[in-house]
Amino acid sequence: MRVNGSFPVTLQDCKALDLLATTVCMLDQDGMIRWVNNAGQSLLKRSSRSLEGMAAKNLFEDDQAFEHAFEAILHGEFSSFGLMGSLIQNQGQEKLLVSATLQRLEQQAWSVILEVREIEQHTLAERNERLIKELEIHQETFRNLGHEVKNPLGGLRGAAQLLEMELSDPALQEYTRVIIAEADRLQELVDRLIRPGQSNLSLSLINIHEVCERVHALLKAEYREQITIVRDYDASVPDMKADMAKLLQAYLNIGRNAAQSLLSGNLKNKPCITLRTRVLNRHLLLNRMHRLVVVVSVIDNGPGVPEALHDRVFHPLVTGRPDGTGLGLSLAQEYVRQHGGLIEFDSVPGRTEFRILLPLDAT
Ligand SMILES: Nc1ncnc2c1ncn2[C@@H]1O[C@H](COP(=O)(O)OP(=O)(O)OP(=O)(O)O)[C@@H](O)[C@H]1O
Ligand SMILES: [Mg+2]
Protein backbone atom coordinates (compact mmCIF):
# COMPACT_ATOMS: atom_id res chain seq x y z
CA MET A 1 0.00 0.00 0.00
CA ARG A 2 1.26 3.51 -0.75
CA VAL A 3 0.08 6.30 1.44
CA ASN A 4 1.94 9.20 -0.12
CA GLY A 5 1.78 10.12 -3.76
CA SER A 6 -1.33 9.73 -5.80
CA PHE A 7 -3.07 6.63 -4.41
CA PRO A 8 -6.01 7.50 -2.21
CA VAL A 9 -6.02 6.07 1.29
CA THR A 10 -9.22 4.12 1.57
CA LEU A 11 -11.10 2.69 4.53
CA GLN A 12 -9.77 -0.68 3.40
CA ASP A 13 -6.23 0.63 3.83
CA CYS A 14 -7.09 1.86 7.29
CA LYS A 15 -8.15 -1.64 8.23
CA ALA A 16 -4.72 -2.81 7.05
CA LEU A 17 -3.10 -0.04 9.13
CA ASP A 18 -4.86 -1.52 12.15
CA LEU A 19 -2.72 -4.63 11.70
CA LEU A 20 0.53 -2.68 12.03
CA ALA A 21 2.58 -2.58 15.21
CA THR A 22 3.52 1.08 14.68
CA THR A 23 1.24 4.00 15.50
CA VAL A 24 -0.44 5.68 12.55
CA CYS A 25 -2.69 8.75 12.79
CA MET A 26 -4.45 10.57 9.98
CA LEU A 27 -4.54 14.35 10.44
CA ASP A 28 -6.65 17.00 8.76
CA GLN A 29 -5.29 20.31 7.53
CA ASP A 30 -5.72 21.88 10.97
CA GLY A 31 -3.55 19.20 12.54
CA MET A 32 -6.51 17.46 14.22
CA ILE A 33 -6.46 13.69 14.58
CA ARG A 34 -9.18 12.21 12.39
CA TRP A 35 -8.28 8.55 12.63
CA VAL A 36 -5.87 6.49 14.72
CA ASN A 37 -4.97 2.82 14.34
CA ASN A 38 -5.11 0.18 17.08
CA ALA A 39 -1.37 0.37 17.78
CA GLY A 40 -1.78 4.12 18.35
CA GLN A 41 -4.56 3.67 20.84
CA SER A 42 -2.52 1.22 22.87
CA LEU A 43 0.67 3.33 22.71
CA LEU A 44 -1.18 6.46 23.81
CA LYS A 45 -3.26 4.49 26.29
CA ARG A 46 -6.40 6.22 25.06
CA SER A 47 -9.43 5.21 23.05
CA SER A 48 -9.94 6.30 19.46
CA ARG A 49 -12.98 8.27 20.62
CA SER A 50 -10.92 10.41 23.02
CA LEU A 51 -8.14 10.86 20.46
CA GLU A 52 -10.13 11.69 17.37
CA GLY A 53 -10.80 15.41 17.18
CA MET A 54 -7.87 16.42 19.37
CA ALA A 55 -4.91 18.43 18.07
CA ALA A 56 -2.02 16.09 17.25
CA LYS A 57 0.48 18.60 18.66
CA ASN A 58 -0.96 17.94 22.11
CA LEU A 59 0.39 14.41 21.91
CA PHE A 60 3.89 15.80 22.15
CA GLU A 61 5.64 17.47 25.04
CA ASP A 62 7.27 19.93 22.65
CA ASP A 63 4.10 20.97 20.87
CA GLN A 64 5.87 23.87 19.16
CA ALA A 65 8.40 21.59 17.46
CA PHE A 66 5.52 19.44 16.21
CA GLU A 67 3.55 22.43 15.02
CA HIS A 68 6.54 23.73 13.15
CA ALA A 69 7.08 20.38 11.43
CA PHE A 70 3.37 20.13 10.60
CA GLU A 71 3.31 23.58 9.01
CA ALA A 72 6.44 22.78 6.99
CA ILE A 73 4.79 19.60 5.67
CA LEU A 74 1.44 21.24 4.99
CA HIS A 75 3.02 24.06 3.02
CA GLY A 76 5.03 21.64 0.94
CA GLU A 77 8.44 22.70 2.28
CA PHE A 78 9.19 18.99 2.73
CA SER A 79 7.34 15.89 1.56
CA SER A 80 8.29 14.00 4.70
CA PHE A 81 9.65 15.17 8.02
CA GLY A 82 11.11 13.24 10.94
CA LEU A 83 11.36 14.45 14.50
CA MET A 84 12.27 13.02 17.86
CA GLY A 85 10.60 13.92 21.13
CA SER A 86 8.56 12.91 24.15
CA LEU A 87 5.08 11.56 23.58
CA ILE A 88 2.52 12.22 26.28
CA GLN A 89 0.80 8.98 27.28
CA ASN A 90 -2.10 8.15 29.49
CA GLN A 91 -3.54 11.69 29.49
CA GLY A 92 -0.31 13.31 30.64
CA GLN A 93 0.68 10.86 33.35
CA GLU A 94 3.52 9.19 31.47
CA LYS A 95 6.03 10.14 28.78
CA LEU A 96 7.80 8.08 26.16
CA LEU A 97 10.71 8.94 23.85
CA VAL A 98 9.58 8.47 20.24
CA SER A 99 10.54 9.23 16.68
CA ALA A 100 7.73 10.58 14.55
CA THR A 101 7.41 10.96 10.80
CA LEU A 102 4.98 13.29 9.07
CA GLN A 103 4.09 12.81 5.42
CA ARG A 104 1.87 14.91 3.23
CA LEU A 105 -1.04 13.19 1.53
CA GLU A 106 -2.19 14.66 -1.73
CA GLN A 107 -5.75 14.74 -3.05
CA GLN A 108 -7.05 12.62 -0.22
CA ALA A 109 -9.52 12.83 2.57
CA TRP A 110 -6.76 13.51 5.09
CA SER A 111 -3.93 15.99 4.72
CA VAL A 112 -1.10 14.41 6.66
CA ILE A 113 -0.18 10.96 7.94
CA LEU A 114 1.67 10.77 11.25
CA GLU A 115 3.66 7.69 12.11
CA VAL A 116 5.11 7.23 15.59
CA ARG A 117 7.68 4.69 16.71
CA GLU A 118 9.01 4.14 20.18
CA ILE A 119 12.75 4.71 20.35
CA GLU A 120 14.32 1.75 21.99
CA GLN A 121 16.68 3.12 24.59
CA HIS A 122 19.49 0.96 23.23
CA THR A 123 19.13 2.53 19.74
CA LEU A 124 19.61 5.94 21.30
CA ALA A 125 22.55 4.70 23.36
CA GLU A 126 24.18 3.23 20.24
CA ARG A 127 23.75 6.52 18.38
CA ASN A 128 25.26 8.50 21.22
CA GLU A 129 28.09 6.05 21.61
CA ARG A 130 28.94 6.30 17.92
CA LEU A 131 28.95 10.09 18.10
CA ILE A 132 31.23 10.10 21.12
CA LYS A 133 33.66 7.57 19.58
CA GLU A 134 33.85 9.63 16.41
CA LEU A 135 34.54 12.77 18.40
CA GLU A 136 37.22 11.09 20.46
CA ILE A 137 39.05 9.99 17.31
CA HIS A 138 38.82 13.45 15.79
CA GLN A 139 39.88 15.20 18.93
CA GLU A 140 42.82 12.86 19.39
CA THR A 141 43.96 13.50 15.80
CA PHE A 142 43.68 17.26 16.14
CA ARG A 143 45.32 17.26 19.54
CA ASN A 144 48.28 15.33 18.14
CA LEU A 145 48.46 17.64 15.17
CA GLY A 146 48.28 20.62 17.51
CA HIS A 147 51.23 19.34 19.53
CA GLU A 148 53.21 18.72 16.35
CA VAL A 149 52.56 22.27 15.13
CA LYS A 150 53.29 23.91 18.49
CA ASN A 151 57.06 23.36 18.58
CA PRO A 152 58.04 24.46 15.06
CA LEU A 153 55.70 27.40 15.50
CA GLY A 154 57.56 28.50 18.63
CA GLY A 155 60.86 28.17 16.72
CA LEU A 156 59.49 30.21 13.85
CA ARG A 157 58.34 32.99 16.13
CA GLY A 158 61.61 33.03 18.06
CA ALA A 159 63.65 33.19 14.85
CA ALA A 160 61.52 36.08 13.57
CA GLN A 161 62.15 37.96 16.81
CA LEU A 162 65.92 37.43 16.54
CA LEU A 163 65.82 38.50 12.93
CA GLU A 164 63.89 41.63 13.87
CA MET A 165 66.66 42.65 16.29
CA GLU A 166 69.24 42.29 13.55
CA LEU A 167 67.35 44.37 11.03
CA SER A 168 68.40 47.98 10.83
CA ASP A 169 65.84 48.99 8.21
CA PRO A 170 62.48 49.60 9.98
CA ALA A 171 60.64 48.95 6.70
CA LEU A 172 61.90 45.36 6.79
CA GLN A 173 60.76 44.95 10.37
CA GLU A 174 57.21 45.16 9.09
CA TYR A 175 57.71 41.72 7.54
CA THR A 176 58.99 40.15 10.74
CA ARG A 177 56.01 41.66 12.59
CA VAL A 178 53.68 39.94 10.16
CA ILE A 179 55.45 36.63 10.80
CA ILE A 180 55.17 37.13 14.57
CA ALA A 181 51.50 38.21 14.45
CA GLU A 182 50.52 35.28 12.22
CA ALA A 183 52.47 32.85 14.39
CA ASP A 184 50.58 34.20 17.41
CA ARG A 185 47.26 33.74 15.65
CA LEU A 186 48.13 30.16 14.78
CA GLN A 187 49.36 29.58 18.32
CA GLU A 188 46.00 30.68 19.69
CA LEU A 189 44.20 28.27 17.36
CA VAL A 190 46.51 25.43 18.36
CA ASP A 191 45.95 26.24 22.04
CA ARG A 192 42.21 26.01 21.53
CA LEU A 193 42.65 22.65 19.82
CA ILE A 194 44.75 21.25 22.63
CA ARG A 195 42.88 22.73 25.58
CA PRO A 196 39.94 20.27 25.75
CA GLY A 197 42.40 17.52 26.70
CA GLN A 198 42.59 18.97 30.18
CA SER A 199 39.61 17.32 31.77
CA ASN A 200 39.99 18.48 35.37
CA LEU A 201 36.76 20.09 36.45
CA SER A 202 36.54 22.75 39.07
CA LEU A 203 33.28 21.68 40.70
CA SER A 204 30.95 23.74 42.81
CA LEU A 205 27.25 23.65 43.61
CA ILE A 206 25.51 25.74 40.98
CA ASN A 207 22.06 26.42 39.68
CA ILE A 208 21.91 25.98 35.93
CA HIS A 209 19.91 29.17 35.66
CA GLU A 210 22.95 31.15 36.79
CA VAL A 211 24.62 29.90 33.60
CA CYS A 212 21.53 30.76 31.54
CA GLU A 213 21.30 34.23 33.04
CA ARG A 214 24.95 34.95 32.28
CA VAL A 215 24.48 33.83 28.68
CA HIS A 216 21.33 35.92 28.48
CA ALA A 217 23.18 39.01 29.74
CA LEU A 218 26.11 38.47 27.36
CA LEU A 219 23.92 37.87 24.30
CA LYS A 220 21.78 40.86 25.22
CA ALA A 221 24.82 43.07 25.50
CA GLU A 222 26.11 41.90 22.11
CA TYR A 223 22.85 41.73 20.15
CA ARG A 224 20.44 43.95 22.08
CA GLU A 225 18.90 45.71 19.12
CA GLN A 226 18.88 42.90 16.61
CA ILE A 227 17.57 39.81 18.40
CA THR A 228 14.72 39.11 20.81
CA ILE A 229 15.86 36.77 23.56
CA VAL A 230 13.16 34.82 25.40
CA ARG A 231 13.77 32.95 28.66
CA ASP A 232 11.68 29.86 29.33
CA TYR A 233 12.99 28.25 32.50
CA ASP A 234 11.74 25.30 34.50
CA ALA A 235 12.11 26.58 38.06
CA SER A 236 12.08 23.03 39.44
CA VAL A 237 15.59 22.22 38.15
CA PRO A 238 17.59 21.36 41.27
CA ASP A 239 21.11 22.64 41.99
CA MET A 240 23.95 20.54 40.65
CA LYS A 241 27.69 20.05 41.04
CA ALA A 242 29.36 21.37 37.94
CA ASP A 243 32.17 23.46 36.53
CA MET A 244 30.42 26.78 36.07
CA ALA A 245 33.07 28.26 33.75
CA LYS A 246 33.01 25.29 31.37
CA LEU A 247 29.23 25.08 31.21
CA LEU A 248 29.06 28.81 30.65
CA GLN A 249 31.56 28.55 27.80
CA ALA A 250 29.64 25.64 26.24
CA TYR A 251 26.27 27.37 26.49
CA LEU A 252 27.69 30.66 25.24
CA ASN A 253 29.26 28.98 22.20
CA ILE A 254 25.86 27.54 21.31
CA GLY A 255 24.10 30.84 21.97
CA ARG A 256 26.58 32.78 19.84
CA ASN A 257 26.16 30.31 16.98
CA ALA A 258 22.42 30.89 17.11
CA ALA A 259 22.88 34.66 17.06
CA GLN A 260 25.42 34.51 14.24
CA SER A 261 23.14 32.35 12.12
CA LEU A 262 20.20 34.68 12.76
CA LEU A 263 22.15 37.65 11.53
CA SER A 264 23.64 35.84 8.56
CA GLY A 265 20.80 36.08 6.08
CA ASN A 266 17.31 37.14 5.23
CA LEU A 267 14.80 35.94 7.78
CA LYS A 268 11.07 35.64 7.33
CA ASN A 269 10.42 36.29 11.02
CA LYS A 270 11.88 38.64 13.56
CA PRO A 271 15.12 37.05 14.85
CA CYS A 272 14.44 35.28 18.13
CA ILE A 273 16.42 33.08 20.49
CA THR A 274 14.81 31.09 23.29
CA LEU A 275 16.89 29.91 26.24
CA ARG A 276 15.01 26.98 27.75
CA THR A 277 15.48 24.57 30.64
CA ARG A 278 13.58 21.36 31.33
CA VAL A 279 13.96 18.25 33.48
CA LEU A 280 13.63 14.70 32.12
CA ASN A 281 12.84 11.75 34.36
CA ARG A 282 14.60 8.43 33.83
CA HIS A 283 16.69 9.11 30.78
CA LEU A 284 19.48 7.07 29.25
CA LEU A 285 22.55 9.18 28.65
CA LEU A 286 25.86 7.79 27.42
CA ASN A 287 24.95 4.27 28.44
CA ARG A 288 23.85 5.15 31.94
CA MET A 289 20.32 5.44 33.18
CA HIS A 290 19.79 8.69 35.08
CA ARG A 291 16.88 9.43 37.33
CA LEU A 292 17.02 13.11 36.47
CA VAL A 293 18.52 14.84 33.46
CA VAL A 294 18.45 18.58 32.91
CA VAL A 295 18.02 19.81 29.34
CA VAL A 296 19.34 23.29 28.58
CA SER A 297 18.38 24.41 25.08
CA VAL A 298 19.05 27.27 22.73
CA ILE A 299 16.31 27.53 20.12
CA ASP A 300 16.53 29.94 17.20
CA ASN A 301 14.31 30.72 14.23
CA GLY A 302 17.21 31.12 11.82
CA PRO A 303 18.00 29.36 8.54
CA GLY A 304 19.20 26.17 10.26
CA VAL A 305 22.41 24.16 10.23
CA PRO A 306 23.44 23.56 6.60
CA GLU A 307 22.29 20.06 5.58
CA ALA A 308 25.82 19.08 4.54
CA LEU A 309 27.13 19.76 8.05
CA HIS A 310 24.48 17.78 9.96
CA ASP A 311 26.71 14.77 10.60
CA ARG A 312 29.81 16.81 11.32
CA VAL A 313 28.95 19.99 13.23
CA PHE A 314 30.58 18.71 16.41
CA HIS A 315 33.82 17.82 14.68
CA PRO A 316 36.70 20.25 15.19
CA LEU A 317 37.44 22.72 12.38
CA VAL A 318 34.08 22.13 10.68
CA THR A 319 32.51 25.48 9.95
CA GLY A 320 29.81 26.93 7.73
CA ARG A 321 30.80 30.53 8.39
CA PRO A 322 33.38 32.43 6.35
CA ASP A 323 35.04 33.74 9.52
CA GLY A 324 34.41 30.67 11.70
CA THR A 325 37.15 28.45 13.11
CA GLY A 326 34.82 25.51 13.65
CA LEU A 327 35.92 24.94 17.23
CA GLY A 328 32.95 26.32 19.18
CA LEU A 329 30.77 23.22 19.13
CA SER A 330 33.55 20.69 19.48
CA LEU A 331 34.76 22.53 22.59
CA ALA A 332 31.22 22.77 23.93
CA GLN A 333 30.66 19.05 23.35
CA GLU A 334 33.92 18.24 25.10
CA TYR A 335 33.08 20.36 28.16
CA VAL A 336 29.60 18.88 28.45
CA ARG A 337 30.96 15.36 28.03
CA GLN A 338 33.38 15.98 30.92
CA HIS A 339 30.22 16.39 33.01
CA GLY A 340 28.85 13.03 31.80
CA GLY A 341 26.46 14.84 29.44
CA LEU A 342 25.91 15.29 25.74
CA ILE A 343 24.88 17.99 23.25
CA GLU A 344 22.26 17.07 20.63
CA PHE A 345 20.54 19.14 18.00
CA ASP A 346 17.58 19.20 15.62
CA SER A 347 17.53 21.70 12.80
CA VAL A 348 15.21 22.65 9.97
CA PRO A 349 14.93 26.06 8.32
CA GLY A 350 13.05 28.24 10.78
CA ARG A 351 13.74 26.18 13.88
CA THR A 352 17.03 24.98 15.29
CA GLU A 353 17.44 23.58 18.76
CA PHE A 354 20.75 22.70 20.40
CA ARG A 355 20.23 20.82 23.69
CA ILE A 356 22.76 20.29 26.45
CA LEU A 357 21.75 17.19 28.42
CA LEU A 358 23.34 16.95 31.83
CA PRO A 359 22.80 14.15 34.35
CA LEU A 360 21.66 15.36 37.75
CA ASP A 361 22.23 12.02 39.43
CA ALA A 362 23.01 8.46 38.38
CA THR A 363 20.82 5.49 39.35
N1 LIG B 1 22.13 27.65 15.50
C1 LIG B 1 22.73 27.40 14.33
N2 LIG B 1 22.11 27.68 13.15
C2 LIG B 1 22.70 27.43 11.98
N3 LIG B 1 23.93 26.88 11.84
C3 LIG B 1 24.61 26.60 12.96
C4 LIG B 1 24.06 26.83 14.26
N4 LIG B 1 24.95 26.40 15.17
C5 LIG B 1 26.02 25.95 14.48
N5 LIG B 1 25.82 26.06 13.16
C6 LIG B 1 26.74 25.65 12.07
O1 LIG B 1 27.74 24.82 12.63
C7 LIG B 1 29.03 25.32 12.30
C8 LIG B 1 30.01 24.92 13.37
O2 LIG B 1 29.81 25.68 14.56
P1 LIG B 1 31.03 25.92 15.54
O3 LIG B 1 30.54 26.75 16.68
O4 LIG B 1 31.67 24.62 15.87
O5 LIG B 1 32.07 26.73 14.66
P2 LIG B 1 31.98 28.23 14.12
O6 LIG B 1 30.85 28.95 14.78
O7 LIG B 1 31.96 28.16 12.65
O8 LIG B 1 33.38 28.85 14.59
P3 LIG B 1 33.80 29.25 16.10
O9 LIG B 1 34.99 28.38 16.38
O10 LIG B 1 34.10 30.68 16.03
O11 LIG B 1 32.67 28.91 17.01
C9 LIG B 1 28.81 26.81 12.13
O12 LIG B 1 29.82 27.39 11.33
C10 LIG B 1 27.44 26.85 11.47
O13 LIG B 1 27.56 26.63 10.09
MG1 LIG C 1 30.63 28.91 16.86
Side-chain angles (χ1 to χ4, degrees):
M1 178 185 63
R2 276 190 55 181
V3 288
N4 59 347
S6 54
F7 296 103
V9 179
T10 64
L11 205 61
Q12 201 67 25
D13 291 332
C14 283
K15 286 205 178 113
L17 291 173
D18 263 337
L19 299 174
L20 292 180
T22 43
T23 294
V24 179
C25 299
M26 298 297 181
L27 314 182
D28 66 17
Q29 58 183 11
D30 299 320
M32 298 292 169
I33 300 173
R34 290 293 159 214
W35 185 85
V36 51
N37 71 346
N38 285 337
Q41 294 167 50
S42 65
L43 183 79
L44 293 158
K45 304 188 179 171
R46 293 175 70 163
S47 67
S48 62
R49 194 181 302 172
S50 87
L51 286 165
E52 283 164 19
M54 82 177 260
K57 68 175 183 181
N58 293 336
L59 296 177
F60 294 88
E61 188 179 41
D62 191 346
D63 52 352
Q64 277 180 12
F66 179 87
E67 207 168 0
H68 188 84
F70 182 80
E71 290 298 317
I73 284 291
L74 203 65
H75 297 124
E77 286 170 43
F78 303 93
S79 59
S80 135
F81 195 109
L83 71 162
M84 223 172 85
S86 286
L87 188 79
I88 298 169
Q89 289 174 304
N90 204 5
Q91 318 243 6
Q93 296 186 30
E94 293 165 56
K95 281 181 210 159
L96 183 73
L97 196 61
V98 294
S99 78
T101 312
L102 287 162
Q103 283 205 46
R104 196 150 61 103
L105 298 170
E106 273 159 29
Q107 297 158 10
Q108 296 180 29
W110 300 293
S111 304
V112 172
I113 181 167
L114 165 67
E115 205 184 331
V116 181
R117 256 166 274 103
E118 182 178 352
I119 297 179
E120 300 285 346
Q121 293 265 354
H122 66 258
T123 315
L124 195 68
E126 267 170 27
R127 209 184 67 172
N128 287 345
E129 215 177 321
R130 208 174 42 241
L131 173 73
I132 293 305
K133 279 220 179 87
E134 251 175 44
L135 279 178
E136 270 169 6
I137 293 169
H138 274 85
Q139 254 137 16
E140 182 73 21
T141 313
F142 281 108
R143 215 165 283 150
N144 290 341
L145 183 70
H147 281 294
E148 287 302 316
V149 171
K150 217 174 152 77
N151 287 341
L153 199 60
L156 214 79
R157 191 188 192 282
Q161 268 177 319
L162 289 175
L163 188 63
E164 191 173 81
M165 287 193 275
E166 298 297 321
L167 292 175
S168 46
D169 181 356
L172 291 176
Q173 285 183 357
E174 223 172 87
Y175 296 117
T176 50
R177 281 205 194 116
V178 171
I179 300 175
I180 292 168
E182 289 300 293
D184 285 345
R185 203 164 62 87
L186 207 54
Q187 182 71 49
E188 207 178 299
L189 180 75
V190 165
D191 284 344
R192 286 182 73 195
L193 271 176
I194 295 172
R195 206 181 303 147
Q198 303 157 355
S199 60
N200 45 326
L201 293 177
S202 155
L203 295 176
S204 62
L205 197 64
I206 64 154
N207 188 296
I208 199 68
H209 296 126
E210 291 170 44
V211 175
C212 301
E213 283 298 277
R214 290 275 293 276
V215 169
H216 176 253
L218 288 165
L219 290 180
K220 245 190 135 175
E222 268 179 78
Y223 304 100
R224 179 181 298 274
E225 302 299 328
Q226 300 131 296
I227 300 174
T228 309
I229 305 170
V230 178
R231 287 171 285 176
D232 174 10
Y233 298 158
D234 177 346
S236 72
V237 181
D239 288 353
M240 62 190 294
K241 273 207 154 160
D243 187 321
M244 172 88 173
K246 284 191 172 173
L247 287 189
L248 180 64
Q249 188 63 59
Y251 201 42
L252 190 60
N253 286 1
I254 295 176
R256 284 223 172 95
N257 280 349
Q260 283 157 350
S261 100
L262 282 171
L263 301 180
S264 68
N266 296 333
L267 284 185
K268 277 193 230 151
N269 307 315
K270 195 173 171 340
C272 179
I273 289 179
T274 305
L275 306 179
R276 189 160 83 173
T277 59
R278 291 290 182 268
V279 176
L280 296 176
N281 292 305
R282 292 197 61 74
H283 193 80
L284 193 71
L285 198 57
L286 301 177
N287 285 334
R288 287 184 72 187
M289 182 58 85
H290 294 278
R291 203 165 58 77
L292 282 182
V293 167
V294 60
V295 187
V296 195
S297 312
V298 176
I299 303 165
D300 71 70
N301 61 349
V305 176
E307 191 81 32
L309 297 188
H310 272 218
D311 292 338
R312 308 184 283 134
V313 271
F314 292 109
H315 293 176
L317 302 183
V318 168
T319 180
R321 295 192 296 116
D323 55 347
T325 53
L327 288 176
L329 283 178
S330 83
L331 257 177
Q333 185 69 274
E334 180 69 26
Y335 287 161
V336 170
R337 219 158 55 83
Q338 288 169 6
H339 286 82
L342 186 76
I343 307 179
E344 301 178 335
F345 81 99
D346 290 312
S347 179
V348 287
R351 190 180 191 282
T352 297
E353 175 173 3
F354 275 82
R355 288 181 292 274
I356 299 180
L357 287 97
L358 292 165
L360 285 175
D361 62 326
T363 54

